[in-house]
Amino acid sequence: MEKYYISTAIAYTSGKPHIGNTYEIILADAIARFKRLQGYDVYFQTGTDEHGEKIELKAKDQGKTPKEFVDEVASEIKRIWDTMNTSYDRFVRTTDEIHEKQVQKIFKKMYDKGDIYLDEYKGLYCTPCESFWTESQLVDGKCPDCGREVSEKSEQAYFFRLSKYQDRLEKFLTENPNFLQPDSRRNEMLNNFIKPGLQDLCVSRTSFDWGIPVDFDPKHVVYVWLDALTNYITNIGYDVDNPSEEFKKYWPADLHLIGKDIVRFHSIYWPAFLWSLDIELPKQIFGHPWLLTNNDKIGKSRGNAIYADDLAEQYGVDAVRYYVLHEIPFANDGNLTYELLEERYNSDLANILGNLVNRTISMNKKYFDNIVSNSDVTDTVDEDLINTVMGAKGKVEKCMDDLRVADAIDEVFNIFKRCNKYIDETTPWILAKEENKDRLKKVIYNLLESIRIGAVLLHSFLPTTSEEIFRQLNTTETSYDSINEFGKLKVGDTLNDPKPLFIRIEKEK
Ligand code: ME8
């Protein structure tokens, strides 16, 4: 069985993750579930990034030790990932012993190799971003990432010879356009960062303690990005001397899914670190766009943070999954407001999908006493329905291969839309009135079977809804292969009673 290793960024344990951070794990989950459906041996890793000065300061503010603080936040993050029904295989933490030990060994190996050396560091430092900047990188004298003040800082520090890898990076990114997607991000990295010249990177700190100590010089702690990035290998058993079978099986990762703001770390630092260790690079990095709320950047300090668990409580987990997966296109930021979410909920989930399933199963109950029935009485409209339904698998697969998840969901919903049109075309209630039972059997069968196929393709995105449809259809024909054929629902089987999937939200709520 072919393996597929997908990872998300590991979230900072600086506070509760907002809906934007949560979007990433849901997106990764949809991809991971789809790969599993296709039969891949999937390994899906997520987790938390727990070291650094910012976290040390936050813990102090709350009168907690850093470890107490990160334990609380990490479990909150995990709780939200679980609430959103994400199917990760491992939740890793940078405070895990296995990780800390390997980071020390990695640092030592790079040092022994001459890729890390000790020197004096003077620079402009942004504390919230844990980043040193050069004068020319600043925007209006402020941190180019977050726009906050930077301050002069000088310390003895270890440096990583990033400059040594500049030519190799430029060549690699130029020759492997698929490595970093979307293309706009690759151009940005090449033109704004690599071509102007890479400086060696400061990879240790002495100004605070909350980090992994450099074992041969323990007044230094390892730079948080060297610590964090290596999570992708340490947790699957990378070892400098003796990598595990699991590592050999799953590395290189097939996809690092990350947000657009941390593409630089993943497409410049990370490849250089891996080359330094003589390890293959991941196959692909995808820097997804961001979710905005009310067309504004989400920030806890701005007071506009929306949280996934609050939304899920109000609208249901699958409605939130649907919204974020559907509304954030491949390369542009998406927007979330309560009004838009309710609009989508009503039009797509309650009307297009919910109504269709409810109407169809109700008609089958009314006309055939819940028993799956069929006949030979076909019509030309059937062909178009069946073609649309049977064509969907290939289309969804193509979209997913290109990581166009929003488009993939659209393709699934095209099945349901086509079914609704088929109801208008065939008017089953008139067939019933005319006592055209055989044609009615065929029409309802075609609808039920189309819904089954749609539900198989829906599963990666809205797992609970899809499983509820299978339950009502009383079917075990839910595999990816089962949709290569139209006609798997067994005549004579009894369906379960209809039950609405999504209750319409009325305006005044
Ligand atoms: O960056 N919409 O952690 P983090 C979509 N610890 N995605 C968003 C977003 C938004 N509004 N805001 C943030 C870190 N993200 C590091 C990662 S990986 C070795 C270390 C994304 O908690 C962000 O781009 O700040 C990142 O991919 C993820 O959420 C975690 O962000």
Side-chain angles (χ1 to χ4, degrees):
M1 208 192 320
E2 209 180 323
K3 68 89 186 171
Y4 187 83
Y5 173 8
I6 177 172
S7 65
T8 66
I10 47 174
Y12 282 129
T13 45
S14 49
K16 181 174 173 175
H18 54 62
I19 183 69
N21 308 124
T22 314
Y23 161 63
E24 182 170 304
I25 184 83
I26 297 173
L27 182 65
D29 183 61
I31 299 168
R33 284 180 185 270
F34 193 75
K35 287 285 174 188
R36 280 194 208 106
L37 182 70
Q38 288 180 300
Y40 285 82
D41 171 3
V42 171
Y43 174 69
F44 173 15
Q45 180 174 297
T46 187
T48 43
D49 186 358
E50 307 191 353
H51 293 122
E53 190 173 14
K54 187 165 63 174
I55 288 170
E56 190 178 83
L57 293 173
K58 283 225 163 176
K60 206 168 157 197
D61 270 358
Q62 297 194 7
K64 291 175 184 149
T65 66
K67 187 64 169 66
E68 281 165 355
F69 181 76
V70 296
D71 280 351
E72 277 172 27
V73 181
S75 67
E76 177 81 341
I77 293 173
K78 191 166 182 296
R79 184 183 65 77
I80 293 179
W81 281 196
D82 291 339
T83 301
M84 298 318 292
N85 199 6
T86 58
S87 62
Y88 55 83
D89 294 294
R90 204 169 292 164
F91 188 98
V92 305
R93 302 178 56 186
T94 53
T95 51
D96 289 339
E97 205 183 312
I98 176 179
H99 173 76
E100 294 192 339
K101 194 172 124 218
Q102 289 306 328
V103 169
Q104 290 181 320
K105 287 176 94 169
I106 287 169
F107 198 94
K108 182 73 168 41
K109 178 168 173 175
M110 290 172 167
Y111 180 75
D112 289 343
K113 190 176 172 173
D115 272 358
I116 285 181
Y117 59 92
L118 189 64
D119 204 350
E120 182 75 25
Y121 195 88
K122 277 200 197 70
L124 299 161
Y125 188 69
C126 173
T127 308
C129 296
E130 324 245 9
S131 291
F132 272 104
W133 300 102
T134 59
E135 196 73 55
S136 66
Q137 287 172 322
L138 300 183
V139 176
D140 300 330
K142 304 222 165 105
C143 171
D145 273 358
C146 73
R148 277 176 273 211
E149 295 288 342
V150 292
S151 52
E152 282 265 2
K153 222 171 173 176
S154 159
E155 57 187 36
Q156 252 219 336
Y158 287 92
F159 284 81
F160 177 80
R161 282 188 208 284
L162 190 61
S163 54
K164 171 177 156 186
Y165 295 98
Q166 163 155 353
D167 292 343
R168 194 169 167 187
L169 267 168
E170 184 174 338
K171 188 163 184 286
F172 184 81
L173 281 178
T174 308
E175 288 175 359
N176 295 280
N178 257 332
F179 174 70
L180 175 58
Q181 282 291 313
D183 283 334
S184 53
R185 302 269 164 246
R186 191 170 62 100
N187 296 334
E188 184 189 346
M189 289 305 122
L190 276 167
N191 299 331
N192 300 4
F193 291 98
I194 301 174
K195 286 181 184 163
L198 292 173
Q199 295 182 337
D200 287 354
L201 177 70
C202 180
V203 288
S204 78
R205 302 284 187 266
T206 50
S207 52
F208 61 91
D209 297 326
W210 181 239
I212 302 174
V214 174
D215 56 356
F216 56 88
D217 191 357
K219 63 178 182 297
H220 293 263
V221 295
V222 177
Y223 172 48
V224 66
W225 274 100
L226 177 55
D227 167 357
L229 285 164
T230 53
N231 91 84
Y232 301 127
I233 53 174
T234 57
N235 288 290
I236 53 165
Y238 172 73
D239 182 274
V240 171
D241 311 310
N242 185 22
S244 71
E245 285 310 310
E246 189 183 30
F247 178 77
K248 289 181 206 156
K249 177 174 172 189
Y250 287 114
W251 194 260
D254 294 82
L255 179 65
H256 288 326
L257 188 68
I258 54 161
K260 60 179 185 177
D261 59 321
I262 56 172
V263 165
R264 184 166 57 97
F265 301 94
H266 283 79
S267 62
I268 298 178
Y269 298 176
W270 185 222
F273 293 159
L274 288 167
W275 280 330
S276 176
L277 297 168
D278 295 312
I279 304 176
E280 260 185 275
L281 302 196
K283 291 187 193 154
Q284 194 173 44
I285 292 166
F286 180 64
H288 62 72
W290 269 21
L291 181 65
L292 310 173
T293 47
N294 300 304
N295 276 318
D296 196 6
K297 199 172 161 179
I298 313 174
K300 286 161 209 164
S301 52
R302 292 161 182 246
N304 67 344
I306 294 180
Y307 298 103
D309 52 339
D310 294 339
L311 289 176
E313 200 172 313
Q314 200 170 344
Y315 302 102
V317 170
D318 276 0
V320 180
R321 289 178 63 109
Y322 178 77
Y323 190 85
V324 294
L325 291 173
H326 183 254
E327 293 306 301
I328 306 181
F330 180 69
N332 303 315
D333 290 343
N335 187 29
L336 168 74
T337 66
Y338 285 92
E339 293 72 32
L340 287 172
L341 197 158
E342 293 188 359
E343 238 174 78
R344 278 278 156 237
Y345 179 105
N346 279 343
S347 69
D348 298 3
L349 299 176
N351 278 1
I352 295 171
L353 173 61
N355 253 348
L356 167 72
V357 174
N358 199 254
R359 264 172 106 184
T360 306
I361 295 181
S362 299
M363 287 192 286
N364 196 64
K365 180 178 161 115
K366 182 169 168 195
Y367 302 136
F368 304 117
D369 206 16
N370 268 345
I371 313 269
V372 179
S373 311
N374 201 351
S375 80
D376 296 329
V377 188
T378 56
D379 198 323
T380 45
V381 284
D382 300 1
E383 241 168 75
D384 190 61
L385 170 82
I386 294 170
N387 285 342
T388 302
V389 173
M390 295 309 284
K393 182 180 182 179
K395 289 182 182 163
V396 173
E397 199 169 296
K398 172 80 177 71
C399 292
M400 292 303 279
D401 285 347
D402 295 343
L403 302 177
R404 293 183 176 273
V405 176
D407 296 340
I409 296 206
D410 269 340
E411 294 295 349
V412 180
F413 270 71
N414 281 339
I415 297 180
F416 304 130
K417 285 185 190 158
R418 185 63 192 84
C419 288
N420 282 317
K421 188 169 160 222
Y422 183 75
I423 296 182
D424 294 342
E425 288 163 347
T426 54
T427 55
W429 54 94
I430 295 180
L431 296 174
K433 220 198 245 133
E434 291 168 350
E435 296 195 8
N436 196 345
K437 277 261 161 173
D438 281 339
R439 178 62 190 148
L440 183 62
K441 281 182 182 169
K442 183 88 216 164
V443 165
I444 304 288
Y445 184 87
N446 283 345
L447 284 167
L448 289 171
E449 178 64 358
S450 301
I451 291 169
R452 179 189 72 82
I453 291 173
V456 171
L457 289 171
L458 186 70
H459 191 265
S460 311
F461 314 103
L462 310 186
T464 309
T465 303
S466 160
E467 281 156 27
E468 174 57 19
I469 298 172
F470 293 145
R471 191 194 65 77
Q472 294 187 30
L473 290 178
N474 195 16
T475 183
T476 52
E477 294 288 356
T478 62
S479 73
Y480 202 48
D481 281 349
S482 79
I483 61 174
N484 292 338
E485 201 185 307
F486 193 95
K488 284 277 184 188
L489 278 181
K490 271 224 314 279
V491 172
D493 277 2
T494 309
L495 304 190
N496 286 308
D497 276 345
K499 190 173 157 218
L501 298 172
F502 298 95
I503 311 283
R504 264 190 82 82
I505 301 166
E506 297 309 331
K507 262 267 176 304
E508 51 279 10
K509 274 194 187 166

